[in-house]
Amino acid sequence: SEHAVTANSPYLLNISDDISLAGRLLYFLPEGPPISIGSEENNRIRLMGLGIPDHLCDISVVAGGKGVEVQHSGRGGRLIVDGVAVSDNQAIALYNGARIIFGRAFAFRLVIPLASQGGGPGGRGMEDEDLLMRAAALPSPFPACEGDTLQRLRLLIETSVAPVLGETECAEIMRRAGEVHNDVDEANELLKEIEQTPLQVLEVGLLLRAPPERPTTEHTVLPNNRRPQLVVHCSRLADGELLSVWPIPRFYQHLEELRDFYQQRCDLKRQGLPVDAHRGVSMAWEDAVSSPTNIQPPRPSSIEGSSDDSDGGER
């Protein structure tokens, strides 16, 4: 055919931590019309899973097979290229060896044979890719971070925590925060799928506690029960009211519940059975709306302010 696959056609090869699964999926990318990717049957490449809408993106092969471009469809969903999220309607050029994540479950490496042989426009060989990966892995006191939440968290750590704990421990906090932030994003996407209209939103945060007494030395060792602690905030989406603050293990317990319920919904849909759009709230997030330990909204009749009132009316 006019747009047939050739020996030099670029292709996507799946990558996985499980060696028995890596390299099991291969999609050739011939020149011609853009190749659509999404969960609907009419896509050239159909991928189904969390974070993949009906139409996620389009991939185009240009320059005689030496260049590849991807454009986000603008219909939501998660598209990651080399660790950086692609915005709605954004188009970017890809290079040989680029790592692309579609949704939450599909990770691929792009292979452009012509670029690896002689280097096409914007292309890099695999040796260059390995050098970039090693350079990116060099330790940094405060690792780079994506997203407003992590940027605010980094600023808080730099200004309030680093003078007490030091750069090494703060770098470890930021590294762990990045890992949790990725899973919090997954939980928010699960909420969108389960609730249709999400009622709450999650974000990673840091719980700071005042030391038991004023430090007397420059390098004060804080007791474990006073050290900064990563947490996850659960807030009401309508007005931002804080509902719950979860320790990280508690959050992961809820995340597993959401994953299980999402899988149940997918199974019901495949069988053509009705799905309860609100069941996820009562199953996985009951403590976020009914726990007596939650921070309550300020009382409307309160007239005189206090330090507690200004912090959100904690009772």
Side-chain angles (χ1 to χ4, degrees), residues 78-116:
R78 184 173 187 257
L79 179 62
I80 306 292
V81 175
D82 289 330
V84 179
V86 181
S87 304
D88 285 357
N89 298 312
Q90 181 182 5
I92 62 173
L94 304 175
Y95 61 87
N96 182 46
R99 289 154 296 179
I100 311 171
I101 299 177
F102 303 99
R104 290 279 170 184
F106 296 96
F108 291 86
R109 184 179 295 277
L110 173 65
V111 179
I112 307 177
L114 292 178
S116 61

Side-chain angles (χ1 to χ4, degrees), residues 175-253:
R175 183 198 66 79
R176 178 59 175 154
E179 295 176 349
V180 175
H181 178 70
N182 183 63
D183 293 327
V184 167
D185 280 348
E186 178 187 353
N188 282 322
E189 290 184 15
L190 284 166
L191 284 171
K192 292 178 182 177
E193 292 288 335
I194 291 174
E195 297 178 2
Q196 303 302 320
T197 303
L199 303 178
Q200 56 265 319
V201 64
L202 309 176
E203 67 177 12
V204 64
L206 193 68
L207 179 63
L208 299 179
R209 301 180 182 180
E213 59 183 13
R214 180 173 299 177
T216 56
T217 62
E218 181 179 355
H219 301 288
T220 301
V221 178
L222 293 176
N224 289 333
N225 65 347
R226 293 290 176 175
R227 303 183 80 79
Q229 178 184 356
L230 282 175
V231 294
V232 172
H233 297 154
C234 179
S235 303
R236 191 163 48 229
L237 188 58
D239 55 10
E241 179 68 31
L242 184 63
L243 299 174
S244 289
V245 177
W246 295 330
I248 298 304
R250 182 68 173 273
F251 160 71
Y252 278 104
Q253 176 186 345

